[in-house]
mmCIF file of all heavy atoms in Angstrom:
data_model
loop_
_atom_site.group_PDB
_atom_site.id
_atom_site.type_symbol
_atom_site.label_atom_id
_atom_site.label_comp_id
_atom_site.label_asym_id
_atom_site.label_seq_id
_atom_site.Cartn_x
_atom_site.Cartn_y
_atom_site.Cartn_z
ATOM 1 N N ASP I 1108 -3.052 -0.674 21.963
ATOM 2 C CA ASP I 1108 -2.852 -0.377 23.425
ATOM 3 C C ASP I 1108 -1.805 -1.312 23.931
ATOM 4 O O ASP I 1108 -1.056 -1.934 23.154
ATOM 5 C CB ASP I 1108 -4.182 -0.635 24.232
ATOM 6 C CG ASP I 1108 -4.801 -1.948 24.022
ATOM 7 O OD1 ASP I 1108 -4.066 -3.028 24.047
ATOM 8 O OD2 ASP I 1108 -6.046 -1.981 23.901
ATOM 9 N N SER I 1109 -1.553 -1.310 25.224
ATOM 10 C CA SER I 1109 -0.479 -2.094 25.761
ATOM 11 C C SER I 1109 -0.618 -3.594 25.537
ATOM 12 O O SER I 1109 0.277 -4.337 25.578
ATOM 13 C CB SER I 1109 -0.336 -1.855 27.299
ATOM 14 O OG SER I 1109 -1.586 -2.231 27.935
ATOM 15 N N GLU I 1110 -1.827 -4.027 25.223
ATOM 16 C CA GLU I 1110 -2.090 -5.435 25.039
ATOM 17 C C GLU I 1110 -2.398 -5.823 23.604
ATOM 18 O O GLU I 1110 -2.556 -7.018 23.287
ATOM 19 C CB GLU I 1110 -3.271 -5.919 25.898
ATOM 20 C CG GLU I 1110 -2.989 -5.722 27.377
ATOM 21 C CD GLU I 1110 -4.129 -5.999 28.244
ATOM 22 O OE1 GLU I 1110 -5.269 -6.368 27.738
ATOM 23 O OE2 GLU I 1110 -3.990 -5.998 29.538
ATOM 24 N N ALA I 1111 -2.408 -4.906 22.681
ATOM 25 C CA ALA I 1111 -2.738 -5.254 21.269
ATOM 26 C C ALA I 1111 -2.218 -4.228 20.295
ATOM 27 O O ALA I 1111 -2.152 -3.005 20.623
ATOM 28 C CB ALA I 1111 -4.272 -5.283 21.134
ATOM 29 N N HIS I 1112 -1.823 -4.672 19.191
ATOM 30 C CA HIS I 1112 -1.412 -3.843 18.072
ATOM 31 C C HIS I 1112 -1.941 -4.552 16.823
ATOM 32 O O HIS I 1112 -1.232 -5.240 16.137
ATOM 33 C CB HIS I 1112 0.080 -3.538 18.024
ATOM 34 C CG HIS I 1112 0.917 -4.809 18.284
ATOM 35 N ND1 HIS I 1112 1.275 -5.658 17.281
ATOM 36 C CD2 HIS I 1112 1.429 -5.256 19.423
ATOM 37 C CE1 HIS I 1112 1.982 -6.646 17.834
ATOM 38 N NE2 HIS I 1112 2.150 -6.450 19.115
ATOM 39 N N VAL I 1113 -3.200 -4.343 16.553
ATOM 40 C CA VAL I 1113 -3.914 -5.081 15.490
ATOM 41 C C VAL I 1113 -4.742 -4.219 14.684
ATOM 42 O O VAL I 1113 -5.093 -3.107 15.001
ATOM 43 C CB VAL I 1113 -4.749 -6.234 16.169
ATOM 44 C CG1 VAL I 1113 -3.894 -7.189 16.959
ATOM 45 C CG2 VAL I 1113 -5.833 -5.632 17.029
ATOM 46 N N MET I 1114 -5.191 -4.788 13.514
ATOM 47 C CA MET I 1114 -6.081 -4.131 12.613
ATOM 48 C C MET I 1114 -7.278 -5.085 12.457
ATOM 49 O O MET I 1114 -7.159 -6.257 12.085
ATOM 50 C CB MET I 1114 -5.460 -3.852 11.263
ATOM 51 C CG MET I 1114 -6.381 -3.370 10.173
ATOM 52 S SD MET I 1114 -5.454 -3.168 8.622
ATOM 53 C CE MET I 1114 -4.779 -1.533 8.815
ATOM 54 N N PHE I 1115 -8.447 -4.516 12.826
ATOM 55 C CA PHE I 1115 -9.681 -5.339 12.613
ATOM 56 C C PHE I 1115 -10.403 -4.899 11.315
ATOM 57 O O PHE I 1115 -10.208 -3.889 10.764
ATOM 58 C CB PHE I 1115 -10.687 -5.006 13.817
ATOM 59 C CG PHE I 1115 -10.214 -5.632 15.087
ATOM 60 C CD1 PHE I 1115 -9.777 -4.795 16.119
ATOM 61 C CD2 PHE I 1115 -10.262 -6.956 15.319
ATOM 62 C CE1 PHE I 1115 -9.368 -5.265 17.319
ATOM 63 C CE2 PHE I 1115 -9.876 -7.446 16.544
ATOM 64 C CZ PHE I 1115 -9.377 -6.673 17.536
ATOM 65 N N GLU I 1116 -11.259 -5.804 10.948
ATOM 66 C CA GLU I 1116 -12.111 -5.498 9.706
ATOM 67 C C GLU I 1116 -12.898 -4.305 9.805
ATOM 68 O O GLU I 1116 -13.060 -3.587 8.858
ATOM 69 C CB GLU I 1116 -13.026 -6.775 9.509
ATOM 70 C CG GLU I 1116 -13.693 -6.868 8.213
ATOM 71 C CD GLU I 1116 -12.941 -7.713 7.233
ATOM 72 O OE1 GLU I 1116 -11.883 -8.272 7.550
ATOM 73 O OE2 GLU I 1116 -13.395 -7.760 6.105
ATOM 74 N N SER I 1117 -13.374 -3.987 11.057
ATOM 75 C CA SER I 1117 -14.248 -2.844 11.338
ATOM 76 C C SER I 1117 -14.243 -2.516 12.758
ATOM 77 O O SER I 1117 -13.890 -3.250 13.597
ATOM 78 C CB SER I 1117 -15.683 -3.078 10.818
ATOM 79 O OG SER I 1117 -16.281 -4.140 11.593
ATOM 80 N N ARG I 1118 -14.834 -1.301 12.996
ATOM 81 C CA ARG I 1118 -15.014 -0.846 14.393
ATOM 82 C C ARG I 1118 -16.040 -1.818 15.094
ATOM 83 O O ARG I 1118 -15.876 -2.153 16.247
ATOM 84 C CB ARG I 1118 -15.459 0.557 14.397
ATOM 85 C CG ARG I 1118 -15.828 1.006 15.823
ATOM 86 C CD ARG I 1118 -16.391 2.364 15.913
ATOM 87 N NE ARG I 1118 -15.470 3.328 15.326
ATOM 88 C CZ ARG I 1118 -15.601 4.667 15.233
ATOM 89 N NH1 ARG I 1118 -16.704 5.189 15.750
ATOM 90 N NH2 ARG I 1118 -14.673 5.374 14.749
ATOM 91 N N GLU I 1119 -17.083 -2.162 14.352
ATOM 92 C CA GLU I 1119 -18.100 -3.118 14.912
ATOM 93 C C GLU I 1119 -17.507 -4.434 15.423
ATOM 94 O O GLU I 1119 -17.834 -4.890 16.495
ATOM 95 C CB GLU I 1119 -19.183 -3.325 13.893
ATOM 96 C CG GLU I 1119 -19.992 -2.125 13.574
ATOM 97 C CD GLU I 1119 -19.295 -1.129 12.636
ATOM 98 O OE1 GLU I 1119 -18.407 -1.454 11.945
ATOM 99 O OE2 GLU I 1119 -19.665 0.002 12.772
ATOM 100 N N ILE I 1120 -16.546 -4.961 14.661
ATOM 101 C CA ILE I 1120 -15.901 -6.227 15.000
ATOM 102 C C ILE I 1120 -15.120 -5.945 16.303
ATOM 103 O O ILE I 1120 -15.100 -6.799 17.285
ATOM 104 C CB ILE I 1120 -15.011 -6.774 13.907
ATOM 105 C CG1 ILE I 1120 -15.854 -7.191 12.725
ATOM 106 C CG2 ILE I 1120 -14.150 -7.929 14.403
ATOM 107 C CD1 ILE I 1120 -16.646 -8.429 12.840
ATOM 108 N N SER I 1121 -14.368 -4.899 16.264
ATOM 109 C CA SER I 1121 -13.550 -4.544 17.496
ATOM 110 C C SER I 1121 -14.465 -4.416 18.715
ATOM 111 O O SER I 1121 -14.144 -4.896 19.772
ATOM 112 C CB SER I 1121 -12.791 -3.220 17.268
ATOM 113 O OG SER I 1121 -12.153 -2.769 18.377
ATOM 114 N N ASN I 1122 -15.539 -3.716 18.635
ATOM 115 C CA ASN I 1122 -16.459 -3.543 19.754
ATOM 116 C C ASN I 1122 -16.966 -4.852 20.236
ATOM 117 O O ASN I 1122 -17.172 -5.101 21.420
ATOM 118 C CB ASN I 1122 -17.559 -2.601 19.292
ATOM 119 C CG ASN I 1122 -17.099 -1.150 19.217
ATOM 120 O OD1 ASN I 1122 -15.997 -0.778 19.672
ATOM 121 N ND2 ASN I 1122 -17.886 -0.386 18.457
ATOM 122 N N ARG I 1123 -17.387 -5.731 19.312
ATOM 123 C CA ARG I 1123 -17.919 -7.104 19.711
ATOM 124 C C ARG I 1123 -16.811 -7.837 20.453
ATOM 125 O O ARG I 1123 -17.168 -8.545 21.426
ATOM 126 C CB ARG I 1123 -18.332 -7.867 18.414
ATOM 127 C CG ARG I 1123 -19.675 -7.242 17.910
ATOM 128 C CD ARG I 1123 -20.099 -7.932 16.587
ATOM 129 N NE ARG I 1123 -20.216 -9.375 16.724
ATOM 130 C CZ ARG I 1123 -20.269 -10.163 15.706
ATOM 131 N NH1 ARG I 1123 -20.204 -9.694 14.375
ATOM 132 N NH2 ARG I 1123 -20.354 -11.444 15.821
ATOM 133 N N ILE I 1124 -15.606 -7.742 19.983
ATOM 134 C CA ILE I 1124 -14.515 -8.545 20.743
ATOM 135 C C ILE I 1124 -14.337 -7.908 22.075
ATOM 136 O O ILE I 1124 -14.253 -8.642 23.112
ATOM 137 C CB ILE I 1124 -13.270 -8.476 19.889
ATOM 138 C CG1 ILE I 1124 -13.466 -9.355 18.647
ATOM 139 C CG2 ILE I 1124 -12.102 -9.024 20.714
ATOM 140 C CD1 ILE I 1124 -12.351 -9.272 17.707
ATOM 141 N N ARG I 1125 -14.241 -6.623 22.266
ATOM 142 C CA ARG I 1125 -13.970 -5.964 23.511
ATOM 143 C C ARG I 1125 -15.201 -6.287 24.461
ATOM 144 O O ARG I 1125 -14.929 -6.511 25.638
ATOM 145 C CB ARG I 1125 -13.928 -4.428 23.323
ATOM 146 C CG ARG I 1125 -12.556 -4.055 22.758
ATOM 147 C CD ARG I 1125 -12.485 -2.523 22.598
ATOM 148 N NE ARG I 1125 -11.386 -2.114 21.791
ATOM 149 C CZ ARG I 1125 -10.134 -1.893 22.299
ATOM 150 N NH1 ARG I 1125 -9.925 -2.139 23.618
ATOM 151 N NH2 ARG I 1125 -9.138 -1.479 21.534
ATOM 152 N N ALA I 1126 -16.398 -6.252 24.015
ATOM 153 C CA ALA I 1126 -17.585 -6.458 24.790
ATOM 154 C C ALA I 1126 -17.570 -7.978 25.272
ATOM 155 O O ALA I 1126 -18.005 -8.248 26.359
ATOM 156 C CB ALA I 1126 -18.863 -6.211 24.059
#
Side-chain angles (χ1 to χ4, degrees):
D1108 58 42
S1109 59
E1110 299 174 355
H1112 43 87
V1113 300
M1114 176 181 271
F1115 289 109
E1116 193 94 2
S1117 67
R1118 177 184 298 185
E1119 291 74 27
I1120 295 289
S1121 175
N1122 290 342
R1123 287 175 55 197
I1124 291 170
R1125 287 181 190 273

